[in-house]
């Protein structure tokens, strides 16, 4: 068992949360038991994830996407009330780590995604060092790389570019980071991989020659919170279990 405070302090120190300017609170969002013996992890604090934590008798639900975001209504009603009520009813803590978990050089979503896909990290850059660039461990055509990504992430990606072009240099950022595409183009890589695509990126990819792959917001952010949960469990001798949803977005 570990106290809620010691667990929160460890996460804050490990992820260096104080260094980030975020649009969601990082750390404990819903207070439950004072001591934690079992962690459940999930990408998002959805009702399904909360129900899983209840079934598993977890003391803490650890997520990447919590429930409180800037520029959203502050009222606790509807779906938000139902989620929070379930956590409070079962005295389950819920903690969320957003940008600090994206950026961590070992446990983060970007680092874990690189490991899964066979990217060598060479540089972190851009806003709050959220972007990564590097090389493929094995040079592939864009078409072959897209097939590899689909096989690993179990999601069919949206691909813009010449499928026969060889890809050597890549940049990536998990989640909804399509807005960084111009920064990536300026980096001079062959491909940008992120979780979402908007209308503008199609044209930029075709006009600049920098290929673009959208591999799914959820799919690209599956691995960081799991790695964080496993690291915390090892540090404190806790049980840990993971919940994954079949989220195509």
């Amino acid at each position: 068992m570990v106290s809620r405070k010691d667990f929160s302090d460890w996460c804050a120190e490990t992820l260096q949360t104080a260094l980030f300017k975020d649009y969601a609170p990082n750390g404990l969002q819903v207070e439950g038991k004072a001591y934690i013996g079992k962690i459940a992890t999930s990408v998002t604090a959805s009702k399904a994830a909360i129900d899983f934590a209840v079934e598993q008798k977890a003391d803490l639900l650890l997520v990447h996407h919590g429930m409180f975001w800037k520029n959203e209504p502050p009222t606790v009603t509807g779906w938000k009330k139902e989620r929070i009520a379930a956590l409070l009813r079962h005295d389950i803590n819920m903690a969320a780590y957003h940008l600090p978990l994206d950026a961590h050089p070992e446990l983060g979503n970007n680092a874990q995604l690189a490991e899964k896909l066979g990217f060598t990290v060479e540089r972190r850059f851009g806003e709050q060092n959220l972007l990564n660039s590097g090389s493929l461990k094995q040079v592939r055509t864009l078409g072959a790389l897209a097939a590899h990504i689909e096989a690993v992430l179990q999601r069919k990606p949206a691909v813009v570019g010449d499928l026969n072009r060889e890809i050597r240099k890549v940049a990536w950022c998990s989640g909804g980071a399509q807005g960084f595409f111009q920064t990536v183009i300026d980096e001079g890589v062959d491909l940008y991989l992120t979780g979402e695509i908007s209308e503008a990126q199609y044209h930029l990819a075709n006009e600049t020659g920098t290929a673009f792959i959208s591999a799914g917001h959820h799919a690209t952010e599956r691995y960081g919170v799991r790695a964080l949960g496993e690291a915390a469990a090892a540090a404190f001798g806790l049980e840990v279990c993971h919940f994954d949803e079949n989220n195509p977005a």
Side-chain angles (χ1 to χ4, degrees), residues 38-44 49 52 56 61-63 218 221-227 229-230 239-245:
K38 186 172 184 177
I39 309 167
T41 61
S42 180
V43 173
T44 299
F52 173 81
Q56 294 294 317
L61 176 61
L62 180 64
V63 301
H218 177 87
E221 296 194 324
R222 275 198 189 111
Y223 307 109
V225 73
R226 192 164 190 168
E230 290 172 354
E239 290 185 66
V240 63
C241 54
H242 181 70
F243 177 72
D244 190 29
E245 297 188 64

Side-chain angles (χ1 to χ4, degrees), residues 6 38 55 58 81 87 108 146 157:
D6 286 348
K38 186 172 184 177
E55 292 167 5
K81 180 254 187 183
L87 289 165

Side-chain angles (χ1 to χ4, degrees), residues 24 33 61 67-68 128 159 185 187 190-191 200 208 230 241 248:
K33 300 178 180 73
L61 176 61
M67 285 188 284
F68 302 97
Q128 300 189 79
V159 183
I185 291 167
E187 188 75 1
D190 302 316
L191 165 73
T208 64
E230 290 172 354
C241 54

Side-chain angles (χ1 to χ4, degrees), residues 58-233:
D59 306 306
L60 170 82
L61 176 61
L62 180 64
V63 301
H64 179 49
H65 300 136
M67 285 188 284
F68 302 97
W69 303 88
K70 291 180 181 178
N71 302 319
E72 73 173 14
T75 53
V76 180
T77 58
W79 59 268
K80 187 174 289 187
K81 180 254 187 183
E82 293 301 320
R83 293 185 192 181
I84 294 172
L87 289 165
L88 294 176
R89 187 162 55 247
H90 296 278
D91 209 18
I92 298 173
N93 297 283
M94 191 275 283
Y97 296 93
H98 188 232
L99 296 184
L101 183 56
D102 286 320
H104 192 274
E106 295 176 8
L107 304 175
N109 285 318
N110 289 322
Q112 291 290 311
L113 187 63
E115 182 179 322
K116 294 289 187 294
L117 295 179
F119 297 168
T120 299
V121 182
E122 295 171 355
R123 181 167 128 79
R124 297 166 68 206
F125 67 103
E127 184 179 321
Q128 300 189 79
N129 277 332
L130 292 170
L131 291 160
N132 292 249
S133 65
S135 305
L136 295 185
K137 293 179 181 177
Q138 176 185 345
V139 176
R140 301 174 188 260
T141 64
L142 178 60
L145 179 58
H148 170 65
I149 290 168
E150 180 177 356
V152 173
L153 301 186
Q154 294 297 292
R155 294 288 186 278
K156 187 173 183 60
V159 183
V160 185
D162 179 359
L163 297 180
N164 295 314
R165 179 187 177 184
E166 285 194 343
I167 303 297
R168 299 175 183 275
K169 291 288 187 179
V170 296
W172 64 98
C173 184
S174 69
Q178 65 269 45
F180 293 144
F181 193 26
Q182 184 60 57
T183 301
V184 169
I185 291 167
D186 295 341
E187 188 75 1
V189 299
D190 302 316
L191 165 73
Y192 182 44
L193 168 68
T194 186
E196 297 184 14
I197 185 169
S198 298
E199 193 270 349
Q201 283 81 57
Y202 170 82
H203 302 290
L204 285 176
N206 282 329
E207 293 170 24
T208 64
T210 305
F212 189 101
I213 291 182
S214 167
H217 194 134
H218 177 87
T220 57
E221 296 194 324
R222 275 198 189 111
Y223 307 109
V225 73
R226 192 164 190 168
L228 178 63
E230 290 172 354

